[in-house]
Amino acid sequence: MEKILVTQSSMPGFHEYMDEIEELWDSHWLTNMGIKHKKLQKELKEYLSVENVELLTNGHMALELTLQAMNLQGEVITTPFTFASTTHAIVRNGLKPVFCDIDPVTYTMDVEKIEGLITDRTCAIMPVHVYGNLCDVEGIERIAHKYELKVIYDAAHAFGEVYKGRAIGSFGDASCFSFHATKVFNSIEGGAVCFTDTRLGNLLYELKNFGIHGPEEVSAVGANAKMNEFCAAMGLCNLRHVKEEIEKRKAVVERYYSHLQGVEGIQLNMLRSDVDSNYAYFPVVFEEKAFGASRAEVFNMLAENGIGARKYFYPLTNTFSCFHREYDVNDTPVALHISKRVLTLPLYADLQMEDVDRICRLILACKV
Ligand SMILES: *Cc1c(COP(=O)(O)O)cnc(C)c1O
């Protein structure tokens, strides 16, 4: 039996990509905001229905440079139920992450718990639309407005989503997307920031190019985070097919639902009628007592059958050894509970329905 990985990168046809990069052999312009970069930037503005997009090498640099561009100091309220990148972006900017617990259903930041964490050092909130689940954007906006805090969304999972007709990238002061190979939309490696304040955009443009302001002026200690032409070209190709890819993901998710919905001891990710989902992930929370098997048992059984599920997100970022027990995981008990029980199941556009059926049969056979 062929192995099934948790994800498989979307790719255009070989010749489609060859056609897209052919021009680069004429121009010899391989990076530094060339034609493909400009074209992808323009097309993403349209696809994401936002005013401004700045392209970057990856989603992490989008987060890190956005925080730097905002020139923040102090504490940033965030979630530990995320990829290492979110927390690292805060810490690498010399800022202190303050961990807010998550909602047990959406797994996004529990808005009821934010205000209790605000101090006179708080400068920003960095929530995550985890698994593509929309944060309580209204609640966060209300708090940010009341306390004059910046809001930077980690929208790495939320590419192209729309909430009540409004584009996901238009919330907060900035939204950061990842175009990593494993994401719904990829440019091999890549990322982008959507924002409204064009001054922020100008700063991001300089920061991604060493802080170079003009031919003889370097005005900020920037990084190198420019998206190259080959990645931009891959993005242009994949963008042509992303709607279809999302439709195919939707069919896979519906198939999973048809088998797993209503099973005792299993909590599925909730889809909302007011959000156009991108079907990025399929997380399942296993409650051992009610289900009859633990997350570890399900994970191991799937692995034995050549199926790669992921403990995503486990461990929580506030337990990482790099932080030397600086944070107390007991401050976020719901996140801890979920992270010990969640598995994301294989999900990608070309996953076969028979494979979904087999994965679900194997999982349900664990149930005692
Ligand atoms: C993928 C991811 C990132 C980082 O994106 P890269 O493009 O891999 O740098 C940040 N946050 C979350 C939640 C992610 O899943």
Side-chain angles (χ1 to χ4, degrees):
M1 196 76 70
E2 222 179 301
K3 273 203 160 64
I4 300 173
L5 301 180
V6 74
T7 190
Q8 180 179 292
S9 299
S10 295
M11 290 172 86
F14 180 69
H15 293 288
E16 185 180 347
Y17 185 63
M18 289 300 122
D19 288 347
E20 192 65 52
I21 63 174
E22 197 171 357
E23 274 177 279
L24 303 177
W25 264 257
D26 301 328
S27 69
H28 286 248
W29 187 305
L30 308 183
T31 185
N32 284 39
M33 289 65 91
I35 40 175
K36 300 299 171 186
H37 182 289
K38 292 199 177 85
K39 188 155 183 248
L40 181 60
Q41 184 180 22
K42 180 170 169 289
E43 291 194 8
L44 281 172
K45 270 186 216 174
E46 283 162 27
Y47 188 88
L48 295 171
S49 309
V50 290
E51 281 171 53
N52 304 294
V53 171
E54 197 54 56
L55 299 179
L56 295 148
T57 40
N58 55 57
H60 180 76
M61 290 312 286
L63 292 167
E64 200 170 306
L65 294 184
T66 300
L67 286 173
Q68 188 183 349
M70 287 178 177
N71 194 23
L72 301 169
Q73 261 120 45
E75 299 172 357
V76 177
I77 297 174
T78 187
T79 165
F81 192 69
T82 183
F83 186 53
S85 175
T86 322
T87 307
H88 284 6
I90 296 168
V91 174
R92 287 169 60 85
N93 268 285
L95 297 160
K96 185 182 170 209
V98 172
F99 295 100
C100 182
D101 210 357
I102 60 170
D103 178 273
V105 175
T106 66
Y107 317 126
T108 62
M109 206 183 264
D110 184 344
V111 164
E112 298 296 314
K113 295 184 181 147
I114 295 177
E115 283 195 89
L117 299 172
I118 293 175
T119 70
D120 55 6
R121 290 177 301 281
T122 309
C123 58
I125 310 175
M126 187 176 268
V128 181
H129 299 300
V130 68
Y131 306 131
N133 293 351
L134 188 92
C135 293
D136 179 349
V137 285
E138 288 108 349
I140 290 167
E141 190 170 304
R142 206 162 42 239
I143 293 168
H145 190 253
K146 182 169 163 192
Y147 295 92
E148 293 180 37
L149 304 173
K150 296 280 184 198
V151 178
I152 305 102
Y153 282 104
D154 181 337
H157 296 178
F159 184 81
E161 293 192 318
V162 176
Y163 169 54
K164 292 183 179 165
R166 185 171 160 189
I168 195 118
S170 70
F171 293 98
D173 295 283
S175 292
C176 300
F177 292 90
S178 164
F179 308 150
H180 183 255
T182 55
K183 303 299 206 279
V184 166
F185 165 74
N186 85 74
S187 62
I188 309 174
E189 293 260 12
V193 185
C194 299
F195 52 89
T196 42
D197 182 354
T198 50
R199 279 169 312 178
L200 178 71
N202 293 339
L203 270 169
L204 278 171
Y205 187 89
E206 291 176 4
L207 287 174
K208 77 175 179 183
N209 190 25
F210 306 100
I212 294 172
H213 184 71
E216 297 183 6
E217 193 189 349
V218 178
S219 57
V221 186
N224 179 2
K226 306 178 298 286
M227 181 184 282
N228 71 59
E229 291 290 280
F230 289 80
C231 287
M234 186 63 132
L236 285 168
C237 293
N238 279 333
L239 197 57
R240 285 183 205 121
H241 306 288
V242 70
K243 280 216 163 87
E244 271 165 72
E245 296 279 299
I246 291 172
E247 278 307 306
K248 286 161 87 180
R249 285 174 169 274
K250 180 178 184 204
V252 171
V253 165
E254 283 171 354
R255 190 75 159 211
Y256 270 126
Y257 261 93
S258 73
H259 291 294
L260 301 178
Q261 192 162 36
V263 175
E264 211 191 334
I266 279 184
Q267 178 178 315
L268 300 182
N269 202 28
M270 211 182 57
L271 291 170
R272 297 170 50 155
S273 58
D274 53 6
V275 175
D276 300 343
S277 176
N278 63 8
Y279 305 93
Y281 297 90
F282 198 80
V284 180
V285 175
F286 293 93
E287 292 291 347
E288 183 173 356
K289 279 213 182 81
F291 181 65
S294 68
R295 191 257 307 260
E297 287 167 321
V298 177
F299 178 84
N300 292 334
M301 176 280 300
L302 289 172
E304 281 157 23
N305 285 278
I307 296 159
R310 266 189 82 183
K311 296 171 189 168
Y312 202 57
F313 291 98
Y314 174 86
L316 296 177
T317 68
N318 56 3
T319 69
F320 287 176
S321 63
C322 59
F323 301 130
H324 308 290
R325 298 175 180 273
E326 208 170 310
Y327 311 110
D328 188 354
V329 72
N330 298 309
D331 291 344
T332 55
V334 177
L336 185 63
H337 182 98
I338 299 296
S339 83
K340 283 179 171 172
R341 290 165 178 79
V342 71
L343 270 188
T344 56
L345 301 182
L347 171 56
Y348 46 88
D350 291 327
L351 184 61
Q352 299 301 300
M353 293 303 165
E354 305 87 83
D355 289 329
V356 178
D357 297 345
R358 185 162 70 91
I359 293 164
C360 293
R361 255 197 324 275
L362 287 165
I363 290 172
L364 293 173
C366 290
K367 201 171 164 56
V368 286

